[in-house]
Amino acid sequence: MSTLTTRRTDMPDLPGRVLSRPELEGLVDTLAARPELWSGLVAFDTGGRHFVSLFRDEHVDVWLLCWNVVDDTGWHDHDLSAGAVAVVRGAVRETKPRLSGEPVTAVVAAGSGFSFDPEHIHRMTGAVDASLSIHAYSPPLWRMGQYSFGQDGALLRRSLSYADELRPVDPTS
Ligand SMILES: [Fe+2]
């Protein structure tokens, strides 16, 4: 079971339009350096993934994600949204699928981050317990694609609402 909390956080100045990838990176880095805006929202003992919506308007949405190593988004995309991630405590693991080889995995530690365009497909897990990351998406997440494999091994995509919890459809996939 996940917990989803919505809270409107004071944001740094935003341009009032869809943000570019560098702007998203700047936004999550700015928020990472301002723990007074989100530290009171951190929780790890919720019995599931814990994520807090820090801000959402028509151009951008921003989330705080709390990770234990058991937390796994499963394979997914972000539909029309570009995104940026700043890891602020611990480390998270990002894995990208390849049709012609083994997935590519990177561990992203506190102080680092990454960003992506809308065509990006990945899955994320906690690399160590009690990790924290800040995520920003523009345009705001509305739908996401969740991937799994059918009985014949064919890749399947299911469209989810941004408010649905991402998790592996089949933990072995
Ligand atoms: Fe993602």
Side-chain angles (χ1 to χ4, degrees), residues 23-173:
E23 288 170 331
L24 287 168
E25 292 168 359
L27 176 58
V28 293
D29 287 346
T30 297
L31 291 170
R34 296 189 60 190
E36 72 276 11
L37 294 178
W38 45 260
S39 60
L41 305 170
V42 173
F44 293 101
D45 55 352
T46 61
R49 292 180 58 214
H50 182 68
F51 39 96
V52 182
S53 172
L54 298 177
F55 179 82
R56 183 178 180 90
D57 69 7
E58 66 268 43
H59 303 299
V60 62
D61 67 337
V62 184
W63 299 78
L64 172 70
L65 275 72
C66 306
W67 302 90
N68 288 317
V69 295
V70 297
D71 295 327
D72 183 353
T73 62
W75 301 112
H76 66 278
D77 66 44
H78 314 84
D79 200 29
L80 303 176
S81 302
V85 176
V87 181
V88 294
R89 184 195 300 172
V92 300
R93 180 174 288 106
E94 189 203 26
T95 306
K96 296 178 282 190
R98 294 191 296 180
L99 287 178
S100 58
E102 291 299 309
V104 178
T105 297
V107 173
V108 185
S112 299
F114 60 93
S115 65
F116 47 85
D117 290 319
E119 60 264 32
H120 194 71
I121 300 171
H122 69 177
R123 85 192 289 171
M124 291 185 66
T125 59
V128 297
D129 283 338
S131 296
L132 297 174
S133 56
I134 294 173
H135 301 224
Y137 304 95
S138 187
L141 284 180
W142 186 248
R143 309 293 305 178
M144 293 184 290
Q146 182 184 52
Y147 294 87
S148 63
F149 295 97
Q151 289 187 336
D152 61 356
L155 183 64
L156 306 173
R157 181 186 189 273
R158 186 164 70 108
S159 181
L160 293 181
S161 160
Y162 77 93
D164 292 332
E165 181 186 8
L166 280 172
R167 62 189 183 284
V169 177
D170 174 353
T172 63
S173 65

